[in-house]
Amino acid sequence: MAAESLPELRDWLFLLLLCLTLLAEMLELAAAAVAMEEGEEDFPCPSVCRCDEGFVYCNDRSLSMIPPLPLTATVLYLQSNRLVNSGLPASLERSSSIRVVYLYANQLDQFPIHLPPSLRELHLQDNNIRTLPRTALARLPLLERLHLDDNSISTVSIQERAFSGTPRLRLLFLSRNHLSSIPASLPASLEELRLDDNRINTIPTHAFRGLASLRRLVLDGNLLANTRIADDTFSRLANLTELSLVRNALQAPPINLPSTHLMRLHLQDNGLIHVPRGTLDGMRRLQRLDLSGNNLTTLPRGLLRDTDGLELLLIRGNPWYCGCNLRWLHAWLYGRGAAVTVRGLTCNGPEAVRGQALRDLSGLMDQCEGPPGGVNSVGGRGGGLGLDTVTSTTTFPPTQGSLFTLRAIRPGLVMPLPPGGEAGGHASHNALELTVKPLSADSVQVTWLCPRPAPSFRLSWLRLGSSAALGSITETLVPGERQQYLLTQLTPRSHYLICLLPLRSSTSHSGGSQRGQQQEKDTTDQTPVCSQIETGEALRPEGGDGGEDSDTEMAALPLAEIIGGATALVSLILIFGIFCWYGQRAGYVSGETDSYGVRGQRGVGKPYDDYVESGTKKDSSILEIRSPGLAMTPMTTHQPLQPKRGEDVTYVHTIFPSSHGNGTYRSNQSHNGIITQLGHTAGYGTNQGYREQGMIPDIDYTYT
């Protein structure tokens, strides 16, 4: 019975599986029909792209149109293509699964409208988008992060209440656009706002109204000045943790900064000349403070009294004056110890401590009179150390802030000399009076009086060389309300030409333009007022040997004279070397071409040796010369030659002894009746015996 029921059960199971398969196919067909009815159709991964689960990579494909995408796509990488607004299909906005879209580095000139409403993050930087319409943003109610850097968006091209349809927007990047003011009606949910490298020059009171959730604000590289920032602008941002105002035209930090939650404050490269005492009051959570690249010489006592959590203090690039006025800061540094890192606190004055760190002046600071941070009368000395004390008053040195500074922007520019070529420190032209006055060896105070108001002034200075065209021209724009400027870090004992030119503006309105912006053009047909001045001599410690004077004079020599002197020196060395080589060569040649019988008289050149030349070994034992030398005496009489008493006798042995074996010879010839007897008789001048015995080779077999 059991054996018969087993095949029947198997058949029933097969039939059930078949029914389930048919049911699944029917459901799939129904779903496809519904999808086609609603206009949705699932596509496979495009052949030009690469898909990995929900990530679709179509970047860097030179696409001009987005291909059909799978319904399961969540992140689209479409950057670095050639997409235009018409390349985004309308079917894209019907997707409900896409969360992130990367469309940067394309050719979009308008904000795309066919985007999925489920989008959370959108990257549109590095395009040419010019407008922000409210209708396009209203289609993205879930958008949280919007990147619009490096576009052409201006303030007037942002439609009113453009961000009202994005209540969840937390991050907005508008860096490197054409904004002249803070965009209005920003969403209250915003937590990070970047507006750096724009043209913002004014911040009114209501600019950040309603942004209570804002935590990070970046305004670097704009045209902000203290007079164009409302007093309570930043005080409304109670939850702000980071504020960056780098590369603006601030002379002092803005007042009423948020203090409760601020952790990072960036104020570098502004030209600050003063930091008020209460600027950092209440900033107990401040961790990083950057004051680098300004014109600060001192800090008021009590500035850091509430910064217990400060971990990093960056103050490099400032002309610090390390007198008794900074004794309080020295004590604060030692009190904090390793809990805080300070970089750039290097003294620029007085001259006795130039280049030293403030931490290393413990012995000098201890001799300052009064408590740490106390000051004496102006111009007094702290314990006879040469550290001038500074009185903390409301009078500050001439302002140094500027919009920007460009070095050698016009290398071919020749700055005009003052009228008459005189350098009196005072000049005037067209009712503009310019006065320059040296304050120290490396600083000059520039003041001017201009009856006719000007929006800005262009101040230029040049260190003069052999001509007015040499040197590095430095220019800076000074706001029109300023009447003085302080030039620092100049070269001591140098002549400088300082020129000032008021920049008038001509306003032109474009009638058909939507932006309605005013275009300002600097007039260049005016003649600047110039004055020439010489900086003082740098102070040196006592006991100097005066060696620095020569270094300064050498540094002041024009580059052309230095190069010419070096060239002349090298030429003289080469000529002298050629002369020596030629003399040595001539001596060597003359030594090889000597005349008969004078081989031993070479005084110049290579020593010559007859024995070496003939290939035989020199034996000095057969040639002996005694007495100081040989003298040839003419014999006029037939008198025997007798050696004088006390004189040495010279014996000359021939190198060819006779064949008789006795080693001597007798001359059988008579010279003026005198016969010299030295041994047995032999043939004079013959060496036949030696040749016959094989002792001297024949001339045919000699070799050189």
Side-chain angles (χ1 to χ4, degrees), residues 376-388:
N376 301 327
S377 60
V378 178
R381 300 285 179 179
L385 303 173
L387 300 178
D388 297 340

Side-chain angles (χ1 to χ4, degrees), residues 394-408:
T394 58
T395 302
F396 306 110
T399 53
Q400 180 72 11
S402 61
L403 300 180
F404 51 86
T405 299
L406 300 177
R407 292 186 177 274

Side-chain angles (χ1 to χ4, degrees), residues 551-627:
D551 297 340
T552 305
E553 294 176 0
M554 179 60 68
L557 287 177
L559 183 60
E561 296 182 7
I562 296 177
I563 296 177
T567 304
L569 182 60
V570 173
S571 302
L572 290 176
I573 294 176
L574 290 176
I575 294 173
F576 182 76
I578 294 173
F579 178 77
C580 294
W581 174 82
Y582 180 80
Q584 182 179 6
R585 181 67 178 174
Y588 178 81
V589 172
S590 63
E592 293 179 351
T593 58
D594 56 350
S595 58
Y596 176 79
V598 288
R599 289 179 178 253
Q601 298 180 4
R602 296 182 183 91
V604 182
K606 181 178 178 181
Y608 196 87
D609 196 337
D610 292 323
Y611 293 95
V612 174
E613 185 183 50
S614 61
T616 60
K617 184 177 180 181
K618 179 179 179 181
D619 188 3
S620 59
S621 61
I622 61 176
L623 178 61
E624 295 181 342
I625 299 178
R626 300 177 183 178
S627 78

